[in-house]
Amino acid sequence: MESFQLANESSPLSLTPNFILPEHKRPHLSEVKYLDSIPIIDLSYCDGNNPSSLEVIHKISKACEEFGFFQIVNHGVPDQVCTKMMKAITNFFELAPEEREHLSSTDNTKNVRLFNYYLQVDGGEKVKLWSECFAHPWYPIDDIIQLLPEKIGTQYREAFTEYAKEVGSLVRRLLSLISIGLGLEEDCLLKKLGEQPRQRAQSNFYPPCPDPELTMGLNEHTDLNALTVLLQSEVSGLQVNKDGKWISIPCIPNAFVINLADQIEVLSNGRYKSVLHRAVTNNVQPRISMAMFYGPNPETIIGPIHELIDEEHPPKYRNYHFSKFLEEFFNQEGTRRIVKEVFELPC
């Protein structure tokens, strides 16, 4: 792909002033650590008949406490399912801009939409970020397909239907392991997140950028949901903040990056962390990723789990309907969102 045109733009992407961040908002890539990284956990050792299962649970628990991120390999999702999904995403973003344009929207309430992130800087100016994103629910897939151009609709439906089924099973397995790591019943987190969970998918496309030091693919943030399962192409760009320093996440073919999100931090009473992360660009080749977000439905009440509260660990957050969390999240659009902190209890 020699050039890329955003669906809501009239000309190919170029590094114009409306994409250039102020100095203090730039990625400062020379300061990023590439040797240290998040844990890589092999799930093939984790099953009911394997004595190594407890060791895997311990590794997951430690990763949740120290990083809020980890990668998993041998996770049971077939390689061909992942490859097929990434191909369908690539084909979507290779559509001509006029074929994607009807999906473009700034309306957060739209279930299916194509959009761009922006950052509101000093003086209220909006700086666009160097990416395009396509978001929709996991289900029902037919509602999504009817909005896509016919020539990719069938391919995308087949790829995503199979992919969503596999990732759904993986999410339930991960929530079980994370629950056990907290010393809870294995179905505790699944029950706390409630029935009819809010399941969203978002594919992200980051075109090559002439000067990656001047802009960002995705600004630093924490995820608002409970758990994120990310599949990324073999091009680095995801970075996690650890102890105030940015760490680059290496690309492992068909591995998943697992990201604990805000609702898990609240439910665990702060024991497990939802940490800042971001996506940077490069000047060589495009990068794509598919994030699968799993969270509570808006009417679910979220708060620290009772079994994780005692005299030494008083509640750090108040209870709230998840709809209030979503409302606060969207109110902070364009900023470095600080959402879960709004629901913290005074020390």
Side-chain angles (χ1 to χ4, degrees):
M1 185 179 294
E2 295 182 2
S3 63
F4 181 77
Q5 184 173 321
L6 297 174
N8 60 358
E9 295 281 344
S10 58
S11 59
L13 197 58
S14 62
L15 195 54
T16 51
N18 61 326
F19 284 99
I20 298 176
L21 292 165
E23 174 66 30
H24 67 287
K25 296 290 186 180
R26 294 176 188 174
H28 301 289
L29 299 175
S30 62
E31 299 174 11
V32 174
K33 291 185 175 183
Y34 289 89
L35 295 178
D36 301 325
S37 195
I38 62 173
I40 300 168
I41 298 173
D42 188 340
L43 288 193
S44 66
Y45 293 106
C46 194
D47 62 60
N49 301 314
N50 195 323
S52 299
S53 292
L54 288 178
E55 183 181 349
V56 172
I57 291 168
H58 173 72
K59 287 179 179 179
I60 289 174
S61 182
K62 186 177 181 183
C64 293
E65 289 180 348
E66 296 183 4
F67 288 88
F69 268 80
F70 54 96
Q71 292 206 66
I72 54 172
V73 296
N74 297 320
H75 41 65
V77 180
D79 288 354
Q80 63 268 26
V81 172
C82 297
T83 302
K84 192 175 177 182
M85 186 71 257
M86 294 299 265
K87 178 63 176 173
I89 295 169
T90 301
N91 289 348
F92 172 77
F93 285 108
E94 286 179 348
L95 287 171
E98 57 268 21
E99 294 186 85
R100 306 192 315 274
E101 185 180 10
H102 73 288
L103 294 166
S104 185
S105 176
T106 58
D107 183 356
N108 291 321
T109 65
K110 277 200 169 184
N111 253 349
V112 179
R113 70 186 186 112
L114 188 70
F115 65 99
N116 313 98
Y117 286 107
Y118 66 87
L119 186 62
Q120 196 161 314
V121 296
D122 299 339
E125 180 188 357
K126 291 181 180 180
V127 177
K128 288 186 175 184
L129 300 184
W130 198 267
S131 58
E132 187 168 81
C133 308
F134 178 47
H136 58 76
W138 285 17
Y139 301 104
I141 186 64
D142 287 340
D143 289 353
I144 305 153
I145 299 312
Q146 65 182 0
L147 294 172
L148 295 177
E150 185 177 350
K151 67 181 181 182
I152 73 154
T154 300
Q155 181 205 25
Y156 193 94
R157 177 177 58 217
E158 290 177 354
F160 187 79
T161 300
E162 192 174 8
Y163 184 76
K165 181 180 178 182
E166 293 284 353
V167 172
S169 297
L170 177 62
V171 165
R172 290 187 289 276
R173 184 182 180 195
L174 287 168
L175 287 173
S176 173
L177 295 172
I178 293 168
S179 290
I180 296 170
L182 284 167
L184 304 167
E185 295 293 325
E186 63 179 346
D187 61 352
C188 181
L189 285 176
L190 202 61
K191 286 182 175 179
K192 291 293 182 182
L193 292 170
E195 297 179 356
Q196 298 180 319
R198 184 177 186 268
Q199 295 171 282
R200 302 283 298 169
Q202 181 174 309
S203 53
N204 308 296
F205 183 80
Y206 306 95
C209 178
D211 192 342
E213 284 283 9
L214 298 181
T215 188
M216 195 84 75
L218 191 58
N219 193 46
E220 61 183 67
H221 65 287
T222 61
D223 287 357
L224 68 90
N225 50 292
L227 193 70
T228 303
V229 176
L230 183 81
L231 179 65
Q232 56 178 345
S233 60
E234 295 178 34
V235 179
S236 64
L238 177 62
Q239 298 178 351
V240 172
N241 195 281
K242 176 79 164 67
D243 301 325
K245 300 291 185 182
W246 289 104
I247 298 173
S248 179
I249 306 290
C251 299
I252 302 173
N254 291 327
F256 286 113
V257 178
I258 308 303
N259 168 199
L260 293 194
D262 291 348
Q263 308 316 307
I264 293 284
E265 176 161 339
V266 173
L267 288 164
S268 71
N269 200 31
R271 178 174 162 186
Y272 287 175
K273 307 302 179 188
S274 173
V275 302
L276 288 172
H277 53 287
R278 67 184 188 181
V280 299
T281 63
N282 73 86
N283 60 6
V284 179
Q285 54 189 322
R287 174 177 177 263
I288 63 170
S289 66
M290 169 60 100
M292 301 287 273
F293 302 120
Y294 187 99
N297 75 55
E299 298 311 309
T300 300
I301 296 175
I302 298 295
I305 294 171
H306 179 73
E307 290 87 342
L308 302 179
I309 299 171
D310 55 34
E311 287 187 8
E312 292 185 10
H313 305 93
K316 294 184 177 181
Y317 300 92
R318 60 182 171 88
N319 292 350
Y320 54 84
H321 282 94
F322 186 57
S323 58
K324 294 296 184 183
F325 197 96
L326 290 172
E327 182 181 324
E328 182 64 34
F329 177 85
F330 290 121
N331 284 342
Q332 295 187 26
E333 186 171 10
T335 67
R336 210 301 266 150
R337 288 179 167 114
I338 302 174
V339 183
K340 65 179 179 292
E341 291 80 0
V342 172
F343 299 91
E344 287 181 346
L345 291 170
C347 297

